[in-house]
Amino acid sequence: MKVLVIGLGGVTNGGKTTLAEKLKKMLPNCDIISQDDFFKPESEVETDERGFKLYDVLDALYMDEMVKSIHNWMNSPASSGVVTEEPQNTCDNLKNTDDVYILIVEGFLLYNYEPLNELWNRRYFLTLPYEECKRRRSTRVYQPADTPGYFDGHVWPMYLKYKNEMEENASNVVYLDGTKSQEELLSCVYSDIIQELKKLRK
């Protein structure tokens, strides 16, 4: 039994969750772990001097729990409750992949935490220009809601900070342009994962 661990990281509102869900429907034995499920409760998230809740930093997340969940999945993917239904469009590429399990981990801060960095088979990173990211973010409703100035004061600066850190330390990251259509992004990542599956089966 082989496992393939795919990281799908990047900017807020870049389309990570949508892409992960679409890939799950197309790939065999595929499961998703979402970083958003590991946020600490609001009472444990620090507030800065401007009154901003500091959600866009590693300290706002139970990262150890997340790593543990991924390891648990890797140790027994078949018993993780993953639905092994046939992918929607089984093509010749996917024949004989019954022994391969795929985990997609999606989140905004995946490649800045050392214990995670040894787990990835493939890493993708969605980017957006500032204006488009801000526009998309303004259409979303968050709990707790974004306070005025939060995007410019915290969200975007933290994105740039962690992106710079990642560029200095992480290799083999495939950058994806989040302004492209969902179909284009899906096609690009899907064909890349198929190549990885072929390599695994050799």
mmCIF file of all heavy atoms in Angstrom, residues 123-167:
data_model
loop_
_atom_site.group_PDB
_atom_site.id
_atom_site.type_symbol
_atom_site.label_atom_id
_atom_site.label_comp_id
_atom_site.label_asym_id
_atom_site.label_seq_id
_atom_site.Cartn_x
_atom_site.Cartn_y
_atom_site.Cartn_z
ATOM 1 N N ARG A 123 3.861 19.731 -3.698
ATOM 2 C CA ARG A 123 3.398 20.949 -3.031
ATOM 3 C C ARG A 123 2.924 21.955 -4.073
ATOM 4 O O ARG A 123 3.675 22.283 -4.990
ATOM 5 C CB ARG A 123 4.540 21.598 -2.266
ATOM 6 C CG ARG A 123 5.055 20.786 -1.143
ATOM 7 C CD ARG A 123 5.913 21.665 -0.285
ATOM 8 N NE ARG A 123 7.320 21.444 -0.486
ATOM 9 C CZ ARG A 123 8.242 21.721 0.424
ATOM 10 N NH1 ARG A 123 7.872 22.244 1.567
ATOM 11 N NH2 ARG A 123 9.499 21.509 0.191
ATOM 12 N N TYR A 124 1.714 22.432 -3.872
ATOM 13 C CA TYR A 124 1.164 23.474 -4.751
ATOM 14 C C TYR A 124 0.890 24.710 -3.899
ATOM 15 O O TYR A 124 0.555 24.610 -2.724
ATOM 16 C CB TYR A 124 -0.133 22.995 -5.405
ATOM 17 C CG TYR A 124 0.051 21.726 -6.200
ATOM 18 C CD1 TYR A 124 -0.237 20.492 -5.639
ATOM 19 C CD2 TYR A 124 0.573 21.776 -7.499
ATOM 20 C CE1 TYR A 124 -0.027 19.323 -6.353
ATOM 21 C CE2 TYR A 124 0.785 20.607 -8.214
ATOM 22 C CZ TYR A 124 0.481 19.388 -7.640
ATOM 23 O OH TYR A 124 0.702 18.227 -8.335
ATOM 24 N N PHE A 125 1.004 25.866 -4.548
ATOM 25 C CA PHE A 125 0.791 27.115 -3.818
ATOM 26 C C PHE A 125 0.029 28.083 -4.714
ATOM 27 O O PHE A 125 0.518 28.504 -5.758
ATOM 28 C CB PHE A 125 2.149 27.719 -3.421
ATOM 29 C CG PHE A 125 2.026 28.888 -2.477
ATOM 30 C CD1 PHE A 125 2.000 28.685 -1.101
ATOM 31 C CD2 PHE A 125 1.956 30.193 -2.953
ATOM 32 C CE1 PHE A 125 1.887 29.763 -0.221
ATOM 33 C CE2 PHE A 125 1.847 31.271 -2.087
ATOM 34 C CZ PHE A 125 1.816 31.055 -0.706
ATOM 35 N N LEU A 126 -1.192 28.410 -4.295
ATOM 36 C CA LEU A 126 -2.044 29.316 -5.069
ATOM 37 C C LEU A 126 -1.732 30.766 -4.717
ATOM 38 O O LEU A 126 -1.634 31.120 -3.544
ATOM 39 C CB LEU A 126 -3.514 29.032 -4.766
ATOM 40 C CG LEU A 126 -4.109 27.839 -5.524
ATOM 41 C CD1 LEU A 126 -5.196 27.170 -4.704
ATOM 42 C CD2 LEU A 126 -4.661 28.277 -6.875
ATOM 43 N N THR A 127 -1.581 31.581 -5.735
ATOM 44 C CA THR A 127 -1.311 33.005 -5.524
ATOM 45 C C THR A 127 -2.438 33.845 -6.125
ATOM 46 O O THR A 127 -3.150 33.401 -7.025
ATOM 47 C CB THR A 127 0.013 33.423 -6.200
ATOM 48 O OG1 THR A 127 -0.117 33.232 -7.616
ATOM 49 C CG2 THR A 127 1.187 32.619 -5.682
ATOM 50 N N LEU A 128 -2.581 35.045 -5.605
ATOM 51 C CA LEU A 128 -3.528 36.034 -6.150
ATOM 52 C C LEU A 128 -2.885 37.401 -6.018
ATOM 53 O O LEU A 128 -2.175 37.661 -5.041
ATOM 54 C CB LEU A 128 -4.834 36.058 -5.341
ATOM 55 C CG LEU A 128 -5.910 35.006 -5.583
ATOM 56 C CD1 LEU A 128 -7.058 35.253 -4.617
ATOM 57 C CD2 LEU A 128 -6.412 35.020 -7.026
ATOM 58 N N PRO A 129 -3.155 38.311 -6.950
ATOM 59 C CA PRO A 129 -2.724 39.697 -6.742
ATOM 60 C C PRO A 129 -3.518 40.315 -5.595
ATOM 61 O O PRO A 129 -4.640 39.900 -5.306
ATOM 62 C CB PRO A 129 -3.056 40.394 -8.064
ATOM 63 C CG PRO A 129 -3.585 39.366 -8.990
ATOM 64 C CD PRO A 129 -3.852 38.114 -8.220
ATOM 65 N N TYR A 130 -2.925 41.311 -4.979
ATOM 66 C CA TYR A 130 -3.521 41.983 -3.822
ATOM 67 C C TYR A 130 -4.983 42.392 -4.055
ATOM 68 O O TYR A 130 -5.866 42.075 -3.258
ATOM 69 C CB TYR A 130 -2.660 43.209 -3.468
ATOM 70 C CG TYR A 130 -3.326 44.200 -2.553
ATOM 71 C CD1 TYR A 130 -3.342 44.010 -1.169
ATOM 72 C CD2 TYR A 130 -3.937 45.342 -3.076
ATOM 73 C CE1 TYR A 130 -3.962 44.926 -0.338
ATOM 74 C CE2 TYR A 130 -4.550 46.259 -2.245
ATOM 75 C CZ TYR A 130 -4.571 46.044 -0.877
ATOM 76 O OH TYR A 130 -5.191 46.949 -0.062
ATOM 77 N N GLU A 131 -5.234 43.113 -5.166
ATOM 78 C CA GLU A 131 -6.595 43.650 -5.387
ATOM 79 C C GLU A 131 -7.633 42.537 -5.476
ATOM 80 O O GLU A 131 -8.726 42.631 -4.913
ATOM 81 C CB GLU A 131 -6.646 44.495 -6.678
ATOM 82 C CG GLU A 131 -5.894 45.816 -6.594
ATOM 83 C CD GLU A 131 -6.501 46.797 -5.589
ATOM 84 O OE1 GLU A 131 -7.638 46.559 -5.131
ATOM 85 O OE2 GLU A 131 -5.828 47.793 -5.244
ATOM 86 N N GLU A 132 -7.305 41.478 -6.211
ATOM 87 C CA GLU A 132 -8.254 40.377 -6.402
ATOM 88 C C GLU A 132 -8.484 39.633 -5.089
ATOM 89 O O GLU A 132 -9.604 39.258 -4.756
ATOM 90 C CB GLU A 132 -7.725 39.425 -7.484
ATOM 91 C CG GLU A 132 -8.551 38.163 -7.701
ATOM 92 C CD GLU A 132 -9.995 38.407 -8.131
ATOM 93 O OE1 GLU A 132 -10.342 39.554 -8.534
ATOM 94 O OE2 GLU A 132 -10.782 37.455 -8.064
ATOM 95 N N CYS A 133 -7.419 39.448 -4.336
ATOM 96 C CA CYS A 133 -7.543 38.765 -3.053
ATOM 97 C C CYS A 133 -8.439 39.564 -2.107
ATOM 98 O O CYS A 133 -9.328 39.024 -1.457
ATOM 99 C CB CYS A 133 -6.148 38.576 -2.449
ATOM 100 S SG CYS A 133 -6.173 37.632 -0.920
ATOM 101 N N LYS A 134 -8.213 40.872 -2.069
ATOM 102 C CA LYS A 134 -9.008 41.739 -1.189
ATOM 103 C C LYS A 134 -10.476 41.727 -1.620
ATOM 104 O O LYS A 134 -11.378 41.678 -0.769
ATOM 105 C CB LYS A 134 -8.449 43.166 -1.235
ATOM 106 C CG LYS A 134 -9.074 44.088 -0.199
ATOM 107 C CD LYS A 134 -8.371 45.429 -0.129
ATOM 108 C CE LYS A 134 -8.950 46.268 0.997
ATOM 109 N NZ LYS A 134 -8.243 47.531 1.169
ATOM 110 N N ARG A 135 -10.695 41.746 -2.926
ATOM 111 C CA ARG A 135 -12.081 41.728 -3.432
ATOM 112 C C ARG A 135 -12.785 40.431 -3.018
ATOM 113 O O ARG A 135 -13.907 40.451 -2.514
ATOM 114 C CB ARG A 135 -12.064 41.850 -4.968
ATOM 115 C CG ARG A 135 -13.459 41.961 -5.578
ATOM 116 C CD ARG A 135 -13.448 41.768 -7.083
ATOM 117 N NE ARG A 135 -13.104 40.421 -7.492
ATOM 118 C CZ ARG A 135 -13.913 39.367 -7.405
ATOM 119 N NH1 ARG A 135 -15.133 39.493 -6.897
ATOM 120 N NH2 ARG A 135 -13.513 38.171 -7.819
ATOM 121 N N ARG A 136 -12.107 39.305 -3.224
ATOM 122 C CA ARG A 136 -12.721 38.016 -2.866
ATOM 123 C C ARG A 136 -12.964 37.919 -1.361
ATOM 124 O O ARG A 136 -13.990 37.423 -0.915
ATOM 125 C CB ARG A 136 -11.820 36.847 -3.299
ATOM 126 C CG ARG A 136 -11.750 36.647 -4.801
ATOM 127 C CD ARG A 136 -11.012 35.349 -5.110
ATOM 128 N NE ARG A 136 -10.668 35.246 -6.523
ATOM 129 C CZ ARG A 136 -10.055 34.188 -7.054
ATOM 130 N NH1 ARG A 136 -9.715 33.164 -6.285
ATOM 131 N NH2 ARG A 136 -9.761 34.147 -8.340
ATOM 132 N N ARG A 137 -11.986 38.376 -0.605
ATOM 133 C CA ARG A 137 -12.092 38.290 0.860
ATOM 134 C C ARG A 137 -13.299 39.094 1.347
ATOM 135 O O ARG A 137 -13.989 38.698 2.288
ATOM 136 C CB ARG A 137 -10.799 38.829 1.494
ATOM 137 C CG ARG A 137 -10.790 38.862 3.007
ATOM 138 C CD ARG A 137 -10.161 37.650 3.628
ATOM 139 N NE ARG A 137 -10.198 37.710 5.084
ATOM 140 C CZ ARG A 137 -9.546 36.879 5.872
ATOM 141 N NH1 ARG A 137 -8.801 35.922 5.343
ATOM 142 N NH2 ARG A 137 -9.642 36.971 7.177
ATOM 143 N N SER A 138 -13.553 40.228 0.689
ATOM 144 C CA SER A 138 -14.652 41.098 1.134
ATOM 145 C C SER A 138 -16.024 40.466 0.891
ATOM 146 O O SER A 138 -17.019 40.893 1.454
ATOM 147 C CB SER A 138 -14.577 42.447 0.415
ATOM 148 O OG SER A 138 -14.885 42.276 -0.957
ATOM 149 N N THR A 139 -16.073 39.432 0.042
ATOM 150 C CA THR A 139 -17.370 38.798 -0.236
ATOM 151 C C THR A 139 -17.636 37.612 0.697
ATOM 152 O O THR A 139 -18.702 37.020 0.660
ATOM 153 C CB THR A 139 -17.429 38.274 -1.692
ATOM 154 O OG1 THR A 139 -16.438 37.239 -1.847
ATOM 155 C CG2 THR A 139 -17.150 39.380 -2.694
ATOM 156 N N ARG A 140 -16.646 37.274 1.530
ATOM 157 C CA ARG A 140 -16.800 36.112 2.405
ATOM 158 C C ARG A 140 -17.191 36.548 3.813
ATOM 159 O O ARG A 140 -16.796 37.608 4.277
ATOM 160 C CB ARG A 140 -15.470 35.347 2.501
ATOM 161 C CG ARG A 140 -15.066 34.609 1.247
ATOM 162 C CD ARG A 140 -15.613 33.188 1.183
ATOM 163 N NE ARG A 140 -14.975 32.312 2.160
ATOM 164 C CZ ARG A 140 -13.831 31.679 1.958
ATOM 165 N NH1 ARG A 140 -13.146 31.854 0.844
ATOM 166 N NH2 ARG A 140 -13.343 30.868 2.874
ATOM 167 N N VAL A 141 -17.961 35.697 4.471
ATOM 168 C CA VAL A 141 -18.352 35.988 5.853
ATOM 169 C C VAL A 141 -17.553 35.078 6.778
ATOM 170 O O VAL A 141 -17.589 33.856 6.640
ATOM 171 C CB VAL A 141 -19.863 35.745 6.060
ATOM 172 C CG1 VAL A 141 -20.243 36.012 7.515
ATOM 173 C CG2 VAL A 141 -20.665 36.632 5.122
ATOM 174 N N TYR A 142 -16.819 35.664 7.697
ATOM 175 C CA TYR A 142 -15.991 34.898 8.627
ATOM 176 C C TYR A 142 -16.550 34.961 10.035
ATOM 177 O O TYR A 142 -17.220 35.908 10.405
ATOM 178 C CB TYR A 142 -14.552 35.456 8.639
ATOM 179 C CG TYR A 142 -13.793 35.138 7.385
ATOM 180 C CD1 TYR A 142 -13.800 36.020 6.312
ATOM 181 C CD2 TYR A 142 -13.085 33.953 7.269
ATOM 182 C CE1 TYR A 142 -13.111 35.725 5.141
ATOM 183 C CE2 TYR A 142 -12.392 33.649 6.101
ATOM 184 C CZ TYR A 142 -12.409 34.540 5.046
ATOM 185 O OH TYR A 142 -11.736 34.235 3.894
ATOM 186 N N GLN A 143 -16.261 33.930 10.832
ATOM 187 C CA GLN A 143 -16.572 33.922 12.263
ATOM 188 C C GLN A 143 -15.256 33.852 13.016
ATOM 189 O O GLN A 143 -14.600 32.833 12.934
ATOM 190 C CB GLN A 143 -17.428 32.702 12.619
ATOM 191 C CG GLN A 143 -18.894 32.823 12.222
ATOM 192 C CD GLN A 143 -19.566 34.073 12.757
ATOM 193 O OE1 GLN A 143 -20.006 34.890 11.967
ATOM 194 N NE2 GLN A 143 -19.625 34.258 14.075
ATOM 195 N N PRO A 144 -14.822 34.841 13.745
ATOM 196 C CA PRO A 144 -15.421 36.178 13.824
ATOM 197 C C PRO A 144 -15.207 36.961 12.529
ATOM 198 O O PRO A 144 -14.288 36.661 11.776
ATOM 199 C CB PRO A 144 -14.630 36.809 14.982
ATOM 200 C CG PRO A 144 -13.316 36.102 14.981
ATOM 201 C CD PRO A 144 -13.594 34.710 14.516
ATOM 202 N N ALA A 145 -16.050 37.946 12.324
ATOM 203 C CA ALA A 145 -15.992 38.733 11.085
ATOM 204 C C ALA A 145 -14.708 39.560 11.019
ATOM 205 O O ALA A 145 -14.157 39.950 12.052
ATOM 206 C CB ALA A 145 -17.201 39.657 11.024
ATOM 207 N N ASP A 146 -14.234 39.797 9.800
ATOM 208 C CA ASP A 146 -13.084 40.697 9.618
ATOM 209 C C ASP A 146 -13.449 42.093 10.120
ATOM 210 O O ASP A 146 -14.489 42.641 9.741
ATOM 211 C CB ASP A 146 -12.721 40.807 8.124
ATOM 212 C CG ASP A 146 -11.927 39.596 7.638
ATOM 213 O OD1 ASP A 146 -11.660 38.691 8.450
ATOM 214 O OD2 ASP A 146 -11.577 39.570 6.446
ATOM 215 N N THR A 147 -12.597 42.681 10.931
ATOM 216 C CA THR A 147 -12.836 44.051 11.393
ATOM 217 C C THR A 147 -12.279 45.017 10.340
ATOM 218 O O THR A 147 -11.446 44.623 9.520
ATOM 219 C CB THR A 147 -12.137 44.296 12.745
ATOM 220 O OG1 THR A 147 -10.778 43.840 12.636
ATOM 221 C CG2 THR A 147 -12.805 43.540 13.864
ATOM 222 N N PRO A 148 -12.730 46.275 10.330
ATOM 223 C CA PRO A 148 -12.216 47.226 9.339
ATOM 224 C C PRO A 148 -10.694 47.324 9.412
ATOM 225 O O PRO A 148 -10.119 47.406 10.498
ATOM 226 C CB PRO A 148 -12.878 48.549 9.740
ATOM 227 C CG PRO A 148 -14.120 48.144 10.461
ATOM 228 C CD PRO A 148 -13.790 46.867 11.167
ATOM 229 N N GLY A 149 -10.050 47.266 8.261
ATOM 230 C CA GLY A 149 -8.597 47.370 8.207
ATOM 231 C C GLY A 149 -7.862 46.058 8.440
ATOM 232 O O GLY A 149 -6.633 45.993 8.373
ATOM 233 N N TYR A 150 -8.606 44.995 8.735
ATOM 234 C CA TYR A 150 -7.985 43.716 9.101
ATOM 235 C C TYR A 150 -7.182 43.107 7.947
ATOM 236 O O TYR A 150 -6.078 42.611 8.135
ATOM 237 C CB TYR A 150 -9.075 42.742 9.553
ATOM 238 C CG TYR A 150 -8.558 41.459 10.158
ATOM 239 C CD1 TYR A 150 -7.885 41.467 11.378
ATOM 240 C CD2 TYR A 150 -8.753 40.231 9.525
ATOM 241 C CE1 TYR A 150 -7.416 40.288 11.950
ATOM 242 C CE2 TYR A 150 -8.292 39.054 10.080
ATOM 243 C CZ TYR A 150 -7.626 39.085 11.295
ATOM 244 O OH TYR A 150 -7.161 37.928 11.860
ATOM 245 N N PHE A 151 -7.738 43.198 6.748
ATOM 246 C CA PHE A 151 -7.046 42.599 5.588
ATOM 247 C C PHE A 151 -5.693 43.280 5.370
ATOM 248 O O PHE A 151 -4.661 42.625 5.258
ATOM 249 C CB PHE A 151 -7.922 42.717 4.326
ATOM 250 C CG PHE A 151 -7.277 42.097 3.109
ATOM 251 C CD1 PHE A 151 -7.365 40.731 2.881
ATOM 252 C CD2 PHE A 151 -6.561 42.876 2.207
ATOM 253 C CE1 PHE A 151 -6.751 40.152 1.772
ATOM 254 C CE2 PHE A 151 -5.945 42.309 1.099
ATOM 255 C CZ PHE A 151 -6.045 40.938 0.879
ATOM 256 N N ASP A 152 -5.715 44.621 5.323
ATOM 257 C CA ASP A 152 -4.473 45.365 5.073
ATOM 258 C C ASP A 152 -3.543 45.349 6.279
ATOM 259 O O ASP A 152 -2.320 45.398 6.133
ATOM 260 C CB ASP A 152 -4.790 46.819 4.709
ATOM 261 C CG ASP A 152 -5.357 46.914 3.293
ATOM 262 O OD1 ASP A 152 -4.817 46.246 2.399
ATOM 263 O OD2 ASP A 152 -6.346 47.645 3.094
ATOM 264 N N GLY A 153 -4.123 45.282 7.483
ATOM 265 C CA GLY A 153 -3.306 45.377 8.689
ATOM 266 C C GLY A 153 -2.717 44.051 9.141
ATOM 267 O O GLY A 153 -1.685 44.021 9.811
ATOM 268 N N HIS A 154 -3.384 42.941 8.785
ATOM 269 C CA HIS A 154 -2.913 41.645 9.291
ATOM 270 C C HIS A 154 -2.853 40.566 8.205
ATOM 271 O O HIS A 154 -1.807 39.948 7.997
ATOM 272 C CB HIS A 154 -3.826 41.173 10.439
ATOM 273 C CG HIS A 154 -3.477 39.814 10.955
ATOM 274 N ND1 HIS A 154 -2.240 39.516 11.513
ATOM 275 C CD2 HIS A 154 -4.190 38.650 10.980
ATOM 276 C CE1 HIS A 154 -2.215 38.229 11.861
ATOM 277 N NE2 HIS A 154 -3.384 37.695 11.549
ATOM 278 N N VAL A 155 -3.951 40.342 7.509
ATOM 279 C CA VAL A 155 -4.041 39.190 6.597
ATOM 280 C C VAL A 155 -2.989 39.255 5.484
ATOM 281 O O VAL A 155 -2.204 38.313 5.293
ATOM 282 C CB VAL A 155 -5.465 39.093 5.983
ATOM 283 C CG1 VAL A 155 -5.540 37.956 4.967
ATOM 284 C CG2 VAL A 155 -6.507 38.890 7.086
ATOM 285 N N TRP A 156 -2.988 40.354 4.744
ATOM 286 C CA TRP A 156 -2.071 40.450 3.598
ATOM 287 C C TRP A 156 -0.592 40.515 4.034
ATOM 288 O O TRP A 156 0.243 39.801 3.461
ATOM 289 C CB TRP A 156 -2.450 41.640 2.712
ATOM 290 C CG TRP A 156 -1.689 41.644 1.413
ATOM 291 C CD1 TRP A 156 -0.662 42.472 1.069
ATOM 292 C CD2 TRP A 156 -1.892 40.777 0.282
ATOM 293 N NE1 TRP A 156 -0.200 42.169 -0.202
ATOM 294 C CE2 TRP A 156 -0.944 41.139 -0.706
ATOM 295 C CE3 TRP A 156 -2.775 39.729 0.007
ATOM 296 C CZ2 TRP A 156 -0.851 40.490 -1.936
ATOM 297 C CZ3 TRP A 156 -2.686 39.084 -1.218
ATOM 298 C CH2 TRP A 156 -1.741 39.459 -2.172
ATOM 299 N N PRO A 157 -0.234 41.328 5.057
ATOM 300 C CA PRO A 157 1.168 41.334 5.495
ATOM 301 C C PRO A 157 1.665 39.958 5.942
ATOM 302 O O PRO A 157 2.801 39.578 5.672
ATOM 303 C CB PRO A 157 1.184 42.320 6.679
ATOM 304 C CG PRO A 157 -0.017 43.181 6.487
ATOM 305 C CD PRO A 157 -1.033 42.348 5.776
ATOM 306 N N MET A 158 0.804 39.191 6.616
ATOM 307 C CA MET A 158 1.211 37.852 7.078
ATOM 308 C C MET A 158 1.378 36.906 5.891
ATOM 309 O O MET A 158 2.285 36.078 5.866
ATOM 310 C CB MET A 158 0.183 37.273 8.062
ATOM 311 C CG MET A 158 0.232 37.898 9.426
ATOM 312 S SD MET A 158 1.851 37.710 10.235
ATOM 313 C CE MET A 158 2.468 39.377 10.130
ATOM 314 N N TYR A 159 0.492 37.042 4.902
ATOM 315 C CA TYR A 159 0.628 36.233 3.684
ATOM 316 C C TYR A 159 1.989 36.486 3.031
ATOM 317 O O TYR A 159 2.723 35.556 2.687
ATOM 318 C CB TYR A 159 -0.521 36.546 2.713
ATOM 319 C CG TYR A 159 -0.256 36.094 1.287
ATOM 320 C CD1 TYR A 159 -0.173 34.744 0.975
ATOM 321 C CD2 TYR A 159 -0.085 37.030 0.268
ATOM 322 C CE1 TYR A 159 0.084 34.327 -0.334
ATOM 323 C CE2 TYR A 159 0.168 36.625 -1.045
ATOM 324 C CZ TYR A 159 0.254 35.268 -1.335
ATOM 325 O OH TYR A 159 0.511 34.865 -2.626
ATOM 326 N N LEU A 160 2.348 37.779 2.886
ATOM 327 C CA LEU A 160 3.633 38.121 2.248
ATOM 328 C C LEU A 160 4.809 37.618 3.085
ATOM 329 O O LEU A 160 5.788 37.094 2.553
ATOM 330 C CB LEU A 160 3.731 39.637 2.048
ATOM 331 C CG LEU A 160 2.739 40.250 1.056
ATOM 332 C CD1 LEU A 160 2.944 41.761 0.985
ATOM 333 C CD2 LEU A 160 2.877 39.632 -0.343
ATOM 334 N N LYS A 161 4.697 37.755 4.394
ATOM 335 C CA LYS A 161 5.774 37.321 5.288
ATOM 336 C C LYS A 161 6.033 35.819 5.141
ATOM 337 O O LYS A 161 7.164 35.369 4.945
ATOM 338 C CB LYS A 161 5.394 37.645 6.734
ATOM 339 C CG LYS A 161 6.346 37.073 7.786
ATOM 340 C CD LYS A 161 5.818 37.376 9.196
ATOM 341 C CE LYS A 161 6.701 36.801 10.273
ATOM 342 N NZ LYS A 161 6.554 35.369 10.489
ATOM 343 N N TYR A 162 4.957 35.039 5.233
ATOM 344 C CA TYR A 162 5.115 33.584 5.169
ATOM 345 C C TYR A 162 5.488 33.114 3.763
ATOM 346 O O TYR A 162 6.215 32.145 3.600
ATOM 347 C CB TYR A 162 3.844 32.884 5.662
ATOM 348 C CG TYR A 162 3.710 32.872 7.167
ATOM 349 C CD1 TYR A 162 2.675 33.542 7.810
ATOM 350 C CD2 TYR A 162 4.636 32.175 7.954
ATOM 351 C CE1 TYR A 162 2.559 33.528 9.193
ATOM 352 C CE2 TYR A 162 4.522 32.155 9.341
ATOM 353 C CZ TYR A 162 3.481 32.823 9.957
ATOM 354 O OH TYR A 162 3.366 32.802 11.337
ATOM 355 N N LYS A 163 4.997 33.836 2.756
ATOM 356 C CA LYS A 163 5.351 33.472 1.378
ATOM 357 C C LYS A 163 6.856 33.683 1.168
ATOM 358 O O LYS A 163 7.545 32.840 0.576
ATOM 359 C CB LYS A 163 4.540 34.309 0.391
ATOM 360 C CG LYS A 163 4.823 33.996 -1.083
ATOM 361 C CD LYS A 163 3.778 34.673 -1.968
ATOM 362 C CE LYS A 163 4.045 34.448 -3.439
ATOM 363 N NZ LYS A 163 5.029 35.378 -3.997
ATOM 364 N N ASN A 164 7.381 34.801 1.664
ATOM 365 C CA ASN A 164 8.828 35.060 1.553
ATOM 366 C C ASN A 164 9.641 33.999 2.284
ATOM 367 O O ASN A 164 10.648 33.508 1.773
ATOM 368 C CB ASN A 164 9.176 36.444 2.120
ATOM 369 C CG ASN A 164 8.693 37.557 1.188
ATOM 370 O OD1 ASN A 164 8.503 37.338 -0.002
ATOM 371 N ND2 ASN A 164 8.478 38.736 1.743
ATOM 372 N N GLU A 165 9.179 33.644 3.481
ATOM 373 C CA GLU A 165 9.857 32.594 4.255
ATOM 374 C C GLU A 165 9.874 31.289 3.475
ATOM 375 O O GLU A 165 10.883 30.596 3.412
ATOM 376 C CB GLU A 165 9.103 32.345 5.565
ATOM 377 C CG GLU A 165 9.665 33.064 6.752
ATOM 378 C CD GLU A 165 8.816 32.756 7.990
ATOM 379 O OE1 GLU A 165 8.342 31.611 8.168
ATOM 380 O OE2 GLU A 165 8.603 33.694 8.782
ATOM 381 N N MET A 166 8.718 30.952 2.906
ATOM 382 C CA MET A 166 8.605 29.704 2.149
ATOM 383 C C MET A 166 9.554 29.711 0.953
ATOM 384 O O MET A 166 10.231 28.727 0.668
ATOM 385 C CB MET A 166 7.158 29.526 1.683
ATOM 386 C CG MET A 166 6.948 28.321 0.790
ATOM 387 S SD MET A 166 5.323 28.346 0.013
ATOM 388 C CE MET A 166 5.561 29.588 -1.262
ATOM 389 N N GLU A 167 9.611 30.854 0.254
ATOM 390 C CA GLU A 167 10.463 30.931 -0.933
ATOM 391 C C GLU A 167 11.935 30.754 -0.569
ATOM 392 O O GLU A 167 12.717 30.217 -1.345
ATOM 393 C CB GLU A 167 10.229 32.259 -1.661
ATOM 394 C CG GLU A 167 8.909 32.253 -2.433
ATOM 395 C CD GLU A 167 8.439 33.646 -2.841
ATOM 396 O OE1 GLU A 167 9.046 34.651 -2.410
ATOM 397 O OE2 GLU A 167 7.443 33.721 -3.586
#
